Amino acid sequence: MLMHRRHQFILIVGLLISSWLIMMLAHELGHVLGAICTGGEVQRVVWYPTVFSRTDVSPNPSPLVVVWAGPVVGAMLPALVAIVVARFRFGVAYFLQFFAGFCLLANGLYVGVGAFSPVGDAKDLLRLGSSRVVMILFGAASAIGGLIVWHRISPRLGLGETSHSIPPRHAYLATGLAVGLIAVGFVFGNRGV
């Protein structure tokens, strides 16, 4: 039982760290795609393990689209990938589902809570004329979707009455992924793109 808990802890911590870093990448990809689709020019993308990511766009002819693209793509792209990959039923497909749930939850809370306490993109959305109601609805739908995804895969994480045992290789794979992402971030992220 103690070994199971140890592997469960290693798995969940590895997935949380990896998910945070992947979520920031997916979010910034949304800003980049929004800029490209509206004729903006991406000056720099900052993705570094110890800071909040950001995308600098100038000129930016459609700033509202660019700002919204971050949380929308950042939430929806990982969810779509997880849906497609789930059909193949390979052993660690739940990693992608965990990432998707994290991205939905994080982007939803970022925008939804930001409607009341604006920081970052939420502050920009309000400044550019976004409706607080739309922000709250997006935030609620996205966050609830993330919680549903997490609830569905919770047995794979060793949680709940019908929990599965954690294969040690999954725990170490999740941790290795986190370490690898951190290393890539430190090596390449500080330079910006």
Side-chain angles (χ1 to χ4, degrees):
M1 185 65 151
L2 182 60
M3 188 61 76
H4 169 75
R5 290 291 177 211
R6 185 173 133 216
H7 290 140
Q8 180 186 36
F9 177 79
I10 292 169
L11 174 74
I12 292 172
V13 169
L15 288 175
L16 285 171
I17 292 168
S18 298
S19 294
W20 173 257
L21 296 169
I22 290 168
M23 180 275 303
M24 288 194 299
L25 282 173
H27 183 97
E28 298 313 321
L29 175 63
H31 290 312
V32 168
L33 292 174
I36 290 169
C37 290
T38 60
E41 189 174 322
V42 176
Q43 298 298 317
R44 181 178 171 123
V45 176
V46 175
W47 177 74
Y48 197 65
T50 58
V51 299
F52 288 107
S53 59
R54 77 168 196 279
T55 300
D56 300 330
V57 179
S58 181
N60 190 355
S62 301
L64 187 58
V65 172
V66 172
V67 176
W68 264 114
V72 170
V73 171
M76 299 304 139
L77 181 62
L80 291 173
V81 169
I83 289 168
V84 169
V85 169
R87 300 211 182 273
F88 296 106
R89 302 208 186 275
F90 67 93
V92 292
Y94 72 97
F95 279 26
L96 294 172
Q97 293 166 320
F98 187 94
F99 298 150
F102 187 95
C103 292
L104 285 162
L105 186 61
N107 281 286
L109 290 174
Y110 184 42
V111 172
V113 172
F116 302 104
S117 181
V119 295
D121 287 349
K123 185 175 183 177
D124 291 338
L125 288 170
L126 291 170
R127 180 180 52 80
L128 294 166
S130 279
S131 161
R132 285 184 198 273
V133 172
V134 170
M135 292 171 65
I136 292 166
L137 290 174
F138 170 83
S142 184
I144 289 169
L147 291 173
I148 290 169
V149 170
W150 274 4
H151 176 72
R152 287 186 177 162
I153 64 161
S154 62
R156 296 297 309 263
L157 303 172
L159 303 170
E161 293 177 15
T162 61
S163 66
H164 299 218
S165 65
I166 306 295
R169 68 184 180 282
H170 289 197
Y172 299 121
L173 179 62
T175 301
L177 180 60
V179 169
L181 286 167
I182 290 168
V184 167
F186 278 122
V187 171
F188 299 106
N190 198 28
R191 297 179 186 146
V193 177

